Amino acid sequence: MSTEVKSGVDTMRGSTLPAYQRIASAIRTKITSGELAPGEQLPTEHEIAEQYGVARQTVRNGLALLVSEGLIVSQRPRGHFVRRREHMIYRPQAESRPQPASPEMDRFCQQITEEGRTPTQTIDVSLIAAPADIAQRLELDEGTLIVARRRVRSINGEPVNINDSHFPLEIVKDSEIMSPADIPRGTNQALADLGYAQDRAIDEYYWRMPTPEESHRLSLGAGTPVVMHIVTGYTVDGRPVRCTRNVLPGDRHMIVYERKWE
Amino acid sequence: MSTEVKSGVDTMRGSTLPAYQRIASAIRTKITSGELAPGEQLPTEHEIAEQYGVARQTVRNGLALLVSEGLIVSQRPRGHFVRRREHMIYRPQAESRPQPASPEMDRFCQQITEEGRTPTQTIDVSLIAAPADIAQRLELDEGTLIVARRRVRSINGEPVNINDSHFPLEIVKDSEIMSPADIPRGTNQALADLGYAQDRAIDEYYWRMPTPEESHRLSLGAGTPVVMHIVTGYTVDGRPVRCTRNVLPGDRHMIVYERKWE
DNA sequence: GAGTGGTCTAGACCACGAG
DNA sequence: TCGTGGTCTAGACCACTCC
């Protein structure tokens, strides 16, 4: 049978925390204190195991904790590294402001190019049956045919967000919005030119972990949450004419709003 | 282990998924399709292991994936359950609107009591050295003494968010804002009564996984991201007089904004 | 007391990228 | 080719809750 005595890894001095949590905690402290800088490499799993006198699997449990917290990333087979983070500013209000007369897409491009990076986007337009959440916001029955204009925006070839706009079929039918090409003046202006100028919008936000599909499309690492941003645009008559669903990865965005006291 | 390798798991990926990912995928499908309803219990690890003919640890790897995606929770030692989610609507704009003359806290209470739940909050006021992020927004030097008014808001005894407001010491000194008691008309009104009415605010949002401390204070399960919401309030002269840091767990909030086209 | 998940071990083989 | 992390096994003991 087991000739092995109780492991004794614990030594239970003061801390009753499991070994893997203590390991995670020690490394976490080194990261938040700056002793381990962003981008820096951690010791190998084997080394950490030796250092703490535990099995490699125990170290892996600890590292998994830090990965799920978004503090480190694993770059197989090179090792574990302290995660770098940088945010791109995202201003939903920009699209409803006249400002420098630049439509939605331009603003996106503009901001990025200013930073010396190369923005690109892929556009795909299709007719789909309205899913429940979109149908409800467009005040249509679920399954009604609508137009979906899907975009993936990238910087330097890396996708940074998913932006899917939905329109009632009858109002955009035969318009340029149905064409999978960039609309330099923006879809909102195009919609206005069709007689459906938006007067009001409702922004909804909620946040969660990405689905595996989103993780794949956005090349997300573990421990990166996403925000779902849903915009519903209304005409002055109160008719919903657009519903846009954005998926924003947490490691690439920061949302900024400005508001006036009323 | 001579695992028979028949690929074709999923379309064009070409390669075989590891067993734990296939298990996770199968359960994930059952959840998203509704075959496994929210709150429903999963089979035990042992049963799943038997069903797939793998070791228990392999099943655990798969379940850990689903936990980190926020799809299931583990309730030791009862078993794993499909996670329920319900969102509380959060309207940042409400605080800057006259509406039914109800201040910030009232609004929080009001909304909750309407739903038949019991809101509570704990308040703690202290003098602290301004941390870098707050100092920058209040346009003060890091380390300057400021007033921190920290609140934890709870529903039915369960904490739902952390709300820490910071003020320059000189403008709230000797005022009721320094007292750790509820201010029925709201701190914003109190600030206005001191001659520092806010005219404009900037809202910033970013999202990440919680720190272990936040997880503990908010009783968060794994797989629950948080949003950091930072509000900086300015007087009509453009002076920042308040900086509030909110921590909102992803399983309990939804942010809603309404805006007018300009 | 029975049964759950939580933790841990000491091996093993594999895929992959850098040298 | 070598060393990394990724995956997997077959055990073991524990803490906890429910019955």
Side-chain angles (χ1 to χ4, degrees), chain B residues 108-180:
Chain B
F108 169 74
C109 288
Q110 182 183 316
Q111 183 180 356
I112 304 307
T113 44
E114 273 169 9
E115 300 166 19
R117 299 186 282 184
T118 310
T120 55
Q121 67 175 353
T122 64
I123 303 178
D124 163 76
V125 178
S126 52
L127 273 176
I128 62 168
D133 59 333
I134 301 293
Q136 182 208 325
R137 288 175 174 82
L138 288 179
E139 296 171 14
L140 299 171
D141 290 326
E142 187 175 346
T144 306
L145 271 190
I146 59 172
V147 173
R149 189 179 166 90
R150 301 197 178 94
R151 291 185 292 182
V152 177
R153 294 159 157 180
S154 306
I155 298 177
N156 292 343
E158 289 290 311
V160 294
N161 77 53
I162 297 174
N163 180 292
D164 297 344
S165 289
H166 305 82
F167 310 91
L169 175 56
E170 69 204 74
I171 75 172
V172 297
K173 164 177 62 179
D174 303 326
S175 78
E176 67 194 315
I177 288 177
M178 303 275 313
S179 133

Side-chain angles (χ1 to χ4, degrees), chain A residues 218-237:
Chain A
L218 294 169
S219 312
L220 299 181
T224 306
V226 296
V227 157
M228 285 291 310
H229 172 207
I230 301 176
V231 191
T232 312
Y234 298 84
T235 61
V236 71
D237 311 321

Side-chain angles (χ1 to χ4, degrees), chain A residues 91-114 153:
Chain A
R91 298 177 190 273
Q93 286 173 325
E95 70 168 11
S96 54
R97 287 194 171 168
Q99 292 283 29
S102 48
E104 197 172 339
M105 172 59 194
D106 273 12
R107 198 171 291 273
F108 169 74
C109 289
Q110 182 183 316
Q111 180 179 357
I112 305 306
T113 44
E114 273 170 9
R153 295 160 156 181

Side-chain angles (χ1 to χ4, degrees), chain B residues 2-17:
Chain B
S2 73
T3 311
E4 212 293 47
V5 189
K6 197 57 248 157
S7 81
V9 165
D10 238 285
T11 62
M12 51 207 223
R13 297 291 183 82
S15 63
T16 307
L17 285 175

